[in-house]
Amino acid sequence: MKAVDTQQDKTILITGCSSGIGLCAARGLKQRGYRAFATARKAEDVRRLQAEGFESMPLDLANSASIRRAVAAVLQATGGRLYALFNNGAYGQPGAVEDLTREALRAQFETNLFGTHELTTLVLAAMRRQGYGRIIQNSSLLGFVALKYRGAYSASKFALEGLSDTLRLELAGSGIHVSIIEPGPILSRFRENAMRMYQEFIDPAHSTHHAKYMAMEARLEKMGPAVPFTLGPEAVLQKLIHALESPRPKIRYCVTVPAYAFAGLRRMLPWPLLDWVLQRIG
Ligand SMILES: NC(=O)c1ccc[n+]([C@@H]2O[C@H](COP(=O)([O-])OP(=O)(O)OC[C@H]3O[C@@H](n4cnc5c(N)ncnc54)[C@H](OP(=O)(O)O)[C@@H]3O)[C@@H](O)[C@H]2O)c1
């Protein structure tokens, strides 16, 4: 794979670098010679990233002022240029669709979609000026198929994919590429963080889905891989590197066997048959 050749072209802003895929991406790209602005929403994580040698600043996707401050700081540090944005920060809100409050759904979209969109528009202004750039969205296999009890998260990732597909069409000829990474199960703090949001917003005791929630709690609390074919976050980093460095980055990158499998089933199966398969999961 051809590496990006100028130092100028190696700046990247990454969201959600406190753990998991974001942290792995920041470390991996730094090692590869990138100037990675590794952002996180909590002050203690920013300090930890700075201690590790990153240029790090707070960026909370649920907070517009925080997004604007972070972009201003990055662009000031780079003289107004930015090669790439990796929209990675997000969380999964578990819960049956009928148990989701408006507040829970709004919070899910504030972070996973509205904040990501706002950040992207700010960065795009700089990319348009320089005439090139890469926007890479960390979506999910749940951005193209739905599974039970993951409706809020799936809706936010379907929406992210819709916005990204539109943006790509609108950016044709601009020199700015939009790629979507679609991971399946990846080892990270995702389940731990999902458990926190489940406890905040879902009331299992008064739900028709009570029994299902008990099984879900056990799965969310399980340490290590919860499902077969789980990979480490390095698997996402490999696709991210391709999206950053290939002269012809792909529109979509599947990561893990389940992501490839569901992408295939989604294309091949009629809807009732696809439902039959999806019904049997989790
Ligand atoms: N793990 C998987 O199986 C999997 C599969 C498909 C897609 N993904 C996607 O991969 C991405 C990274 O997730 P991960 O697996 O690495 O999980 P993770 O370890 O939980 O990391 C998620 C990151 O997002 C951050 N985040 C959450 N809310 C935020 C906000 N309001 N503003 C800024 N950052 C925020 C978290 O920060 P805090 O530490 O402050 O909460 C954390 O740094 C997400 O987009 C996720 O949807 C993951």
Side-chain angles (χ1 to χ4, degrees):
M1 195 185 304
K2 186 175 164 286
V4 175
D5 45 9
T6 70
Q7 206 52 41
Q8 191 84 286
D9 275 341
K10 288 189 151 189
T11 49
I12 181 165
L13 192 170
I14 308 173
T15 58
C17 295
S18 67
S19 60
I21 297 168
L23 182 59
C24 173
R27 285 177 176 159
L29 293 178
K30 185 163 177 261
Q31 245 173 22
R32 214 173 159 83
Y34 282 78
R35 186 176 179 190
F37 292 90
T39 68
R41 68 175 166 157
K42 294 191 208 103
E44 67 261 30
D45 291 318
V46 171
R47 281 194 294 274
R48 192 164 46 82
L49 288 160
Q50 287 169 341
E52 202 179 317
F54 286 106
E55 292 175 86
S56 180
M57 51 279 292
L59 194 161
D60 181 350
L61 289 162
N63 180 322
S64 283
S66 158
I67 295 172
R68 282 198 297 271
R69 275 195 300 271
V71 172
V74 168
L75 293 179
Q76 193 181 17
T78 62
R81 303 173 85 85
L82 188 66
Y83 174 62
L85 168 65
F86 181 35
N87 280 318
N88 166 74
Y91 70 90
Q93 172 64 61
V97 170
E98 67 193 279
D99 291 336
L100 291 172
T101 60
R102 185 177 186 128
E103 194 191 3
L105 198 55
R106 183 183 285 140
Q108 178 76 101
F109 272 71
E110 283 294 343
T111 291
N112 291 16
L113 189 75
F114 304 148
T116 296
H117 169 259
E118 186 173 8
L119 172 61
T120 304
T121 61
L122 295 175
V123 163
L124 263 173
M127 290 180 176
R128 285 271 194 198
R129 280 194 297 276
Q130 72 201 13
Y132 61 87
R134 305 264 162 129
I135 293 168
I136 297 143
Q137 315 285 41
N138 204 357
S139 179
S140 169
L141 74 77
L142 291 171
F144 59 85
V145 291
L147 289 178
K148 286 175 287 179
Y149 309 110
R150 294 148 172 104
Y153 178 67
S154 216
S156 74
K157 293 292 189 180
F158 269 66
L160 177 67
E161 299 223 0
L163 271 189
S164 306
D165 285 341
T166 309
L167 181 62
R168 193 180 53 259
L169 297 174
E170 292 167 355
L171 286 173
S174 69
I176 305 165
H177 296 272
V178 180
S179 295
I180 302 170
I181 302 182
E182 292 168 326
I186 299 289
L187 260 186
S188 70
R189 274 206 239 135
F190 190 83
R191 267 181 285 138
E192 199 179 311
N193 287 328
M195 184 66 182
R196 206 166 30 79
M197 300 316 284
Y198 164 75
Q199 285 166 340
E200 186 169 338
F201 282 116
I202 301 296
D203 176 12
H206 298 99
S207 169
T208 346
H209 299 276
H210 179 77
K212 289 289 180 193
Y213 283 140
M214 295 305 102
M216 191 174 84
E217 284 182 21
R219 189 175 49 78
L220 288 175
E221 280 170 341
K222 196 174 163 194
M223 303 302 282
V227 292
F229 305 112
T230 299
L231 293 178
E234 305 75 24
V236 179
L237 172 63
Q238 289 317 308
K239 308 290 171 144
L240 175 62
I241 290 171
H242 190 278
L244 287 169
E245 300 184 3
S246 168
R248 277 179 301 282
K250 293 185 185 176
I251 290 173
R252 282 182 163 74
Y253 294 87
C254 283
V255 189
T256 76
V257 169
Y260 281 105
F262 281 113
L265 293 175
R266 165 83 181 74
R267 275 195 300 271
M268 287 173 336
L269 295 185
W271 288 108
L273 218 50
L274 184 63
D275 262 17
W276 185 88
V277 174
L278 298 174
Q279 190 60 257
R280 272 147 190 81
I281 300 171

